[in-house]
Amino acid sequence: MQYRKLIPLIIVSAMILTGCSFTDRLVYRPDINQGNYITQEAIELLKVGQTKDQVAFIMGSPMLTSSFGGNVWYYVFRQQPQHGKVSQINYAIYFNNKGVVTDIKTSTLEGSLSLEEMNQQRISDPINTDSDDDQANNP
């Protein structure tokens, strides 16, 4: 008979404990972008045979460079929407001794969105491509 009094307590406790997973959606989490913001247009401009200066102009400064003798630049683009799944794309650009691109390799985190899908989420600050003159004429 005493166990019958515990049944409602057990049910309420179970509901409260499982409720913790639902309250996670109520907690604010900012969108997080890390690494180099990479666009599809920049990737299309990147070609084997370009110099380091050309790559830096197209892609910006690399996030990492090889520190063990290889001549490799690494670009990482990572997005984590508020309560969404993490997406990450890595680009490794290999140079020869003359500083010319010999190979471009891409890898992604398992289950990541494509670069185009990541850019369509609009969770990062928009990149303004208008010149200062255009902004002055069109307030």
Side-chain angles (χ1 to χ4, degrees), residues 75-126:
Y75 292 88
V76 180
F77 183 32
R78 181 180 175 101
Q79 269 190 347
Q80 183 173 3
Q82 289 181 356
H83 296 282
K85 194 173 184 181
V86 174
S87 295
Q88 179 174 319
I89 299 178
N90 307 317
Y91 295 93
I93 302 174
Y94 295 83
F95 297 93
N96 63 14
N97 292 338
K98 295 179 181 179
V100 176
V101 176
T102 58
D103 195 11
I104 302 167
K105 294 186 180 180
T106 305
S107 62
T108 60
L109 190 65
E110 186 175 330
S112 289
L113 299 174
S114 70
L115 181 61
E116 187 174 306
E117 292 169 326
M118 289 170 68
N119 286 329
Q120 287 177 352
Q121 290 189 85
R122 301 192 185 275
I123 69 169
S124 47
D125 295 331

Side-chain angles (χ1 to χ4, degrees), residues 17 20-22 26 36 38-39 48-49 52 54 56 61 73 76 82 84 89 93 95 106 116 125:
L17 291 174
C20 292
S21 63
F22 296 113
L26 299 176
N36 301 86
I38 300 171
T39 62
V48 172
K52 285 184 177 183
Q54 290 171 320
S61 299
W73 286 4
V76 180
Q82 289 181 356
I89 299 178
I93 302 174
F95 297 93
T106 305
E116 187 174 306
D125 295 331

Side-chain angles (χ1 to χ4, degrees), residues 22-76:
F22 296 113
T23 60
D24 184 47
R25 290 281 182 189
L26 299 176
V27 175
Y28 174 75
R29 292 189 181 170
D31 295 328
I32 299 172
N33 287 324
Q34 293 178 313
N36 301 86
Y37 185 79
I38 300 171
T39 62
Q40 189 62 41
E41 293 82 22
I43 297 303
E44 290 170 1
L45 290 173
L46 197 59
K47 306 277 187 241
V48 172
Q50 293 176 328
T51 65
K52 285 184 177 183
D53 289 337
Q54 290 171 320
V55 172
F57 181 78
I58 293 169
M59 301 284 286
S61 299
M63 185 171 190
L64 301 165
T65 57
S66 177
S67 57
F68 295 107
N71 208 352
V72 184
W73 286 4
Y74 297 97
Y75 292 88
V76 180

